[in-house]
Amino acid sequence: MVRLSANIHPYLTEIVTEDLRRRNVKSTVDFIAMDPIKLASFTGLTHTDILQIKQHILKKFNGIKRNAMQLFVMKRSHIIPTNITCLDELLKGGLYLGQLCELCGPSSCGKTQLCLTIAANVANRSDAVVWYFDTKKDFSRLRYEEIMRARNFTSKVIEDALKCTKVCQVRSPHELIQALRQLLTLCKTEQNDAPLEGRKFYLIIIDSLPAVIFKVTRNAQQDLETTYELDDLAEICRFFTRECQAVVITVNLITRWNSPEQTNSADITPALGKYWMRVPATRLLITRLYGEIRRIKVWKDLRLNENSFCTVTVNDVGVTSQ
């Protein structure tokens, strides 16, 4: 709601707005909802003046009417395809701007390969910038280029995609948080300076969180520090998704409590504890089936059918539909 003030309309002087506030008409919504005759008696304005002010407020602050086709086009424009066919079908089109998505799975199940594939497919877009935060020092430019060449990208597209991919190596939670804060400032500055139609969207990949969050030794003080670090990280990710409409992908491990042979999501939980469990809006579970075949299952997402899954292959091309 917009607070009533003298800046909204010339007839709404400081005296008029103060008198309205005393009568509990404090916002534009309150003003529109009140009977024009009562408003005229309160303010001393004519009935015509009141109607003119209401019309001005509705024109300035009312929502824009859109038909079904316009809404469909707007919704589609907020979806970034991963270009992995079955994964896009699973996610109902792909990654949504303003989304925090987490990839979970045991070690060596293909999480990094999936990140590299998504990054390569997104980086070839002219309106995208990819920031890859490498916490394990295993980002391979050669592998990244190999995935793009295997997908028949031209040399020019690969060159442009590499320029649009920024890799940042971090070794501690402090370095990660500081780097993300600097990027957030850069992102907001660029968005403010660029015209709406010329703005680029950000894909931010953090591979992986446990590599910098977990400590070798544990004590009460370190547990408290970890909670603070996760709290800071969650807040920064929310800023990216809500204010910059960025897509954030985090990589996480799983904790298994029962037999190693069991792979049901009921038997496992995401690492980083209960606090982080609620932060990502979407969580995907990646498990190895056999050989190069992997299963990607929806573990958490209110929009999607939980426990639905797709099957992919990890090979020289990266991650492809089975």
Side-chain angles (χ1 to χ4, degrees), residues 165-188:
T165 304
K166 319 296 183 182
V167 181
C168 179
Q169 290 188 346
V170 292
R171 296 170 294 179
S172 69
H174 177 72
E175 285 187 9
L176 176 60
I177 291 170
Q178 287 299 108
L180 286 171
R181 283 175 176 163
Q182 292 173 6
L183 176 59
L184 180 60
T185 302
L186 174 65
C187 176
K188 293 177 72 172

Side-chain angles (χ1 to χ4, degrees), residues 7-21:
N7 297 326
I8 292 178
H9 193 278
Y11 291 159
L12 294 176
T13 63
E14 290 290 348
I15 297 175
V16 171
T17 53
E18 181 60 32
D19 187 38
L20 288 171
R21 278 194 287 270

Side-chain angles (χ1 to χ4, degrees), residues 26-302:
K26 301 177 180 179
S27 69
T28 54
V29 174
D30 297 333
F31 190 89
I32 294 296
M34 182 157 286
D35 184 87
I37 297 176
K38 288 184 178 180
L39 286 173
S41 65
F42 293 160
T43 61
L45 298 172
T46 66
H47 187 267
T48 303
D49 292 339
I50 296 297
L51 293 180
Q52 183 179 340
I53 296 171
K54 284 194 173 191
Q55 188 176 29
H56 176 78
I57 290 174
L58 288 172
K59 184 177 180 180
K60 185 174 181 180
F61 299 106
N62 199 19
I64 301 173
K65 293 182 179 180
R66 303 184 189 276
N67 59 36
M69 180 56 69
Q70 288 173 321
L71 292 173
F72 176 76
V73 172
M74 288 177 62
K75 182 177 180 181
R76 295 297 300 177
S77 68
H78 284 72
I79 301 176
I80 310 302
T82 67
N83 289 328
I84 304 171
T85 305
C86 68
L87 180 59
D88 287 336
E89 292 175 355
L90 185 69
L91 298 176
K92 294 186 177 179
L95 301 168
Y96 285 68
L97 294 182
Q99 177 186 33
L100 174 55
C101 177
E102 182 164 89
L103 307 179
C104 281
S107 179
S108 303
C109 68
K111 300 185 294 298
T112 295
Q113 295 304 310
L114 181 57
C115 286
L116 291 174
T117 303
I118 293 174
N121 288 334
V122 171
N124 78 86
R125 296 172 53 117
S126 61
D127 60 345
V129 177
V130 177
W131 277 84
Y132 199 108
F133 290 88
D134 179 18
T135 68
K136 302 178 295 179
K137 295 185 179 180
D138 61 359
F139 178 89
S140 171
R141 175 178 171 133
L142 293 176
R143 174 61 174 153
Y144 194 49
E145 289 187 52
E146 180 184 35
I147 291 173
M148 289 188 278
R149 284 196 300 269
R151 292 172 179 264
N152 297 320
F153 292 176
T154 65
S155 298
K156 180 65 168 59
V157 169
I158 294 175
E159 181 183 351
D160 291 342
L162 290 173
K163 290 179 181 178
C164 291
T165 304
K166 319 296 183 182
V167 181
C168 179
Q169 290 188 346
V170 292
R171 296 170 294 179
S172 69
H174 177 72
E175 285 187 9
L176 176 60
I177 291 170
Q178 287 299 108
L180 286 171
R181 283 175 176 163
Q182 292 173 6
L183 176 59
L184 180 60
T185 302
L186 174 65
C187 176
K188 293 177 72 172
T189 301
E190 289 183 349
Q191 287 194 342
N192 290 335
D193 293 342
L196 185 61
E197 64 277 4
R199 292 180 182 176
K200 292 180 180 278
F201 77 87
Y202 281 71
L203 170 63
I204 300 166
I205 299 175
I206 307 174
D207 182 19
S208 73
L209 287 179
V212 290
I213 296 296
F214 285 161
K215 308 290 194 304
V216 177
T217 59
R218 305 299 302 170
N219 56 48
Q221 180 61 31
Q222 288 176 327
D223 287 339
L224 184 60
E225 289 175 2
T226 297
T227 301
Y228 290 150
E229 291 160 355
L230 289 176
D231 188 48
D232 284 345
L233 184 61
E235 190 63 26
I236 294 171
C237 288
R238 291 190 187 102
F239 269 105
F240 273 116
T241 55
R242 293 176 183 177
E243 297 195 14
C244 300
Q245 287 296 293
V247 177
V248 180
I249 297 177
T250 58
V251 175
N252 198 357
L253 293 170
I254 57 174
T255 301
R256 191 184 305 278
W257 295 100
N258 293 332
S259 169
E261 287 76 20
Q262 297 178 356
T263 57
N264 295 326
S265 57
D267 306 321
I268 57 179
T269 57
L272 303 182
K274 292 182 179 180
Y275 176 84
W276 186 259
M277 188 179 296
R278 63 181 175 82
V279 175
T282 302
R283 178 173 284 115
L284 303 178
L285 176 62
I286 307 172
T287 52
R288 181 195 295 268
L289 295 181
Y290 54 87
E292 298 177 337
I293 309 303
R294 307 289 189 270
R295 182 176 65 179
I296 303 177
K297 182 170 68 171
V298 176
W299 201 357
K300 172 192 173 185
D301 194 310
L302 296 177

